[in-house]
């Protein structure tokens, strides 16, 4: 690829060769990608992901540390929770990491636990500094 632009942490590039394992990207196509702070590879992103990404806090994977998703949060919610109506608001959810299968917590930036939305205090079973949803730590 040849990088042609950069806006914040999002790069735009032109694909120089025909990819062998990608069915949706062709030689000469323009693609966008990010360099996640967690994880070891660049990650191609689509417009929908970039639009939704600013509204969510994406926790690092419990195994590999990747702190981005492979799909937009709304797409993940529809796949992981197919019985939840599209009109329902999902404040937080966990997902399996697309890179290694570890666990990631995805939380809407407007979600506040101190408003009765979930436990805030630690229980006896938890270690100090560990949130109730961090069962894998």
């Amino acid at each position: 690829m040849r990088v042609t632009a950069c806006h914040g942490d999002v790069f735009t590039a032109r694909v120089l060769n025909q990819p062998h394992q990608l069915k949706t990207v062709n030689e000469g196509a323009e693609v966008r990608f990010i360099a996640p702070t967690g994880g070891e590879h660049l990650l191609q992103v689509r417009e929908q992901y970039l639009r939704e990404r600013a509204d969510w806090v994406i926790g690092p994977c419990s195994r590999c540390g990747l702190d981005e998703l492979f799909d937009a949060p709304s797409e993940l919610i529809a796949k992981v929770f197919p019985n939840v109506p599209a009109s329902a608001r999902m404040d937080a959810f966990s997902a399996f990491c697309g890179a290694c299968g570890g666990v990631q917590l995805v939380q809407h930036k407007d979600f506040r636990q101190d408003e009765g939305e979930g436990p805030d205090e630690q229980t006896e079973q938890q270690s100090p500094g560990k949130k109730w949803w961090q069962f894998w730590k």
Side-chain angles (χ1 to χ4, degrees), residues 56 77 81 89-94 105-108 111 132:
W56 295 87
I77 290 168
F81 306 100
R89 177 183 157 122
M90 182 77 65
D91 289 322
F93 63 95
S94 61
L105 179 70
V106 184
Q107 187 173 351
H108 197 276
F111 178 64
W132 66 270

Side-chain angles (χ1 to χ4, degrees), residues 38-65:
E40 58 182 271
H41 301 288
L42 300 173
L43 186 62
Q44 182 182 349
V45 291
R46 292 177 294 127
E47 195 61 41
Q48 182 177 353
Y49 180 78
L50 293 174
R51 276 193 313 270
E52 294 182 24
R53 177 180 179 225
D55 293 332
W56 295 87
V57 176
I58 303 166
C61 171
S62 61
R63 287 189 194 161
C64 71

Side-chain angles (χ1 to χ4, degrees), residues 67-88:
D67 57 353
E68 298 287 349
L69 301 171
F70 281 16
D71 294 302
S74 64
E75 294 173 318
L76 274 177
I77 290 168
K79 289 176 188 173
V80 175
F81 306 100
N83 296 327
V84 173
S87 61

Side-chain angles (χ1 to χ4, degrees), residues 6-21:
C6 177
H7 300 305
D9 63 347
V10 180
F11 297 88
T12 303
R14 178 103 23 223
V15 178
L16 299 177
N17 303 20
Q18 178 60 41
H20 295 288
Q21 296 180 348

